[in-house]
Amino acid sequence: MSDEGIQRIGTGVEGLDEIIGGYPVGRSILITGDAGSGKTIMALQFAIQSARAGLRTLYITTEEDETDLRIQCSSLGWDIGDLLESGTLHILSLTAVKARLTEAEMHIGAEPIKGNLKKIISEIPDDIEVLVIDSIGSQAEKLTTYEFRDQFDLLIYELKKRNITTLIILDSATSREFNEIALFAVYGAIRLIKRENPYTGRRERVMDIIKMRSTRTPVEFIPYMISDDGLRVIEVPEE
C-alpha cells in the first residue's frame, strides 16, 4: 500500500509493514494512545529493529530510565545488551534532569519551569539516523497552544532537515490538549486504542492509522495484540 518511490524502514511490528510498507525515511510519525495500549512496546520494537539493521538509533525516554527499559525488554525476550555495547542503540533518560529541576523549584518556591521541546534537538548526536521520543509530554508542560505549535513545528523541521526517521509518542494527557496541532505537523500518525468489542463484549486492542502520507492506508481499525514477545497485528486487511 506504499509509494515505492519513498525509502522505508521496517516498523518492527509483525504485520504492520504489510499494511504501510514501513515508516518513511527521514520523516516523523506520531504514536498516541491511552496507558496500557502498547506505545512504549511499539517504540522499542522499532528502535531495536532499526539498530539491528545497522542504523544509529537513539531512544530518548522522559518517564523511565535505562534500567526500566532494559527490564521491559528482558521480560519480552529481547536482549539489547549487544546493541548498547556496540553503540548502535543508545538510551538517553531525561528523568533525572526533570527530577533535579523539580526539586530545585520546590526548594526555592519557584513556579514550575515551562517545557522546552527545543532541548530535545540539542540532545541528538550528529550521527543519529533513527530517533524515538518517549514521550514529549513532560517536555511540553506549561506550554501555551502557541508555544507548543512553534516548538513542535521547529522540532519536526530540524528532524526532517537532518533526515532522521522519528517515532514520537504523545501521552494521553498531552494528546488531549495538543493532538490536533501535532497531527498537522507530522508525516504520519497511528493511534492505539483499547475498547470493548460491541459484538463480543470483550476487551480488544485496535490501531487506527490516522494518516501516512504517500501511503494508501486502510480506513478500518487494525486489530493487534500484545503477547509475551511484543506487539503484533492480528489481521491484515485486504487491499
Side-chain angles (χ1 to χ4, degrees):
M1 291 187 179
S2 63
D3 184 340
E4 297 300 328
I6 295 181
Q7 188 179 357
R8 309 261 171 169
I9 295 178
T11 64
V13 175
E14 182 182 340
L16 186 54
D17 287 353
E18 295 178 46
I19 300 171
I20 62 174
Y23 297 132
V25 170
R27 301 295 188 269
S28 295
I29 309 300
L30 187 72
I31 305 296
T32 60
D34 294 331
S37 59
K39 299 185 296 298
T40 292
I41 293 176
M42 188 176 189
L44 282 169
Q45 287 178 230
F46 174 56
I48 292 169
Q49 170 152 313
S50 297
R52 295 219 176 277
L55 299 170
R56 295 277 294 176
T57 303
L58 173 63
Y59 195 108
I60 296 179
T61 172
T62 63
E63 303 297 335
E64 300 180 277
D65 58 26
E66 181 177 325
T67 300
D68 294 329
L69 291 178
R70 294 188 71 156
I71 290 173
Q72 186 163 6
C73 287
S74 179
S75 70
L76 293 165
W78 307 334
D79 184 3
I80 61 173
D82 60 325
L83 297 175
L84 294 171
E85 290 173 11
S86 68
T88 310
L89 174 64
H90 181 64
I91 297 174
L92 174 62
S93 175
L94 299 182
T95 53
V97 175
K98 179 183 177 183
R100 287 196 298 269
L101 288 173
T102 301
E103 183 180 7
E105 291 163 3
M106 294 175 64
H107 181 70
I108 64 176
E111 289 293 321
I113 297 173
K114 283 189 174 184
N116 185 2
L117 299 181
K118 291 180 288 188
K119 175 178 171 52
I120 294 176
I121 299 171
S122 67
E123 299 286 350
I124 306 171
D126 292 337
D127 61 349
I128 291 300
E129 299 169 275
V130 171
L131 172 68
V132 172
I133 305 173
D134 180 13
S135 69
I136 65 167
S138 64
Q139 302 302 306
E141 289 179 354
K142 305 299 180 181
L143 292 180
T144 67
T145 300
Y146 298 106
E147 288 170 336
F148 179 85
R149 178 185 290 114
D150 288 344
Q151 292 191 27
F152 192 77
D153 284 349
L154 176 62
L155 174 64
I156 300 302
Y157 171 78
E158 289 293 336
L159 292 171
K160 182 180 179 182
K161 187 170 69 172
R162 293 176 57 177
N163 200 39
I164 299 175
T165 308
T166 307
L167 220 59
I168 300 174
I169 294 179
L170 194 62
D171 61 85
S172 55
T174 309
S175 179
R176 283 192 291 271
E177 188 172 2
F178 298 127
N179 185 63
E180 292 304 316
I181 297 172
L183 278 177
F184 183 78
V186 294
Y187 198 82
I190 298 174
R191 182 185 174 206
L192 303 182
I193 303 167
K194 292 191 302 181
R195 68 175 189 179
E196 183 174 298
N197 187 308
Y199 301 104
T200 65
R202 296 179 179 178
R203 297 279 289 174
E204 65 178 8
R205 291 182 170 95
V206 295
M207 65 176 67
D208 182 11
I209 303 176
I210 299 172
K211 75 172 187 177
M212 196 67 64
R213 292 172 186 162
S214 303
T215 307
R216 289 184 291 123
T217 57
V219 295
E220 63 265 40
F221 289 135
I222 310 299
Y224 71 94
M225 67 178 295
I226 300 175
S227 61
D228 291 340
D229 58 356
L231 188 151
R232 63 181 177 87
V233 169
I234 298 173
E235 181 180 340
V236 176
E238 297 181 1
E239 295 191 24

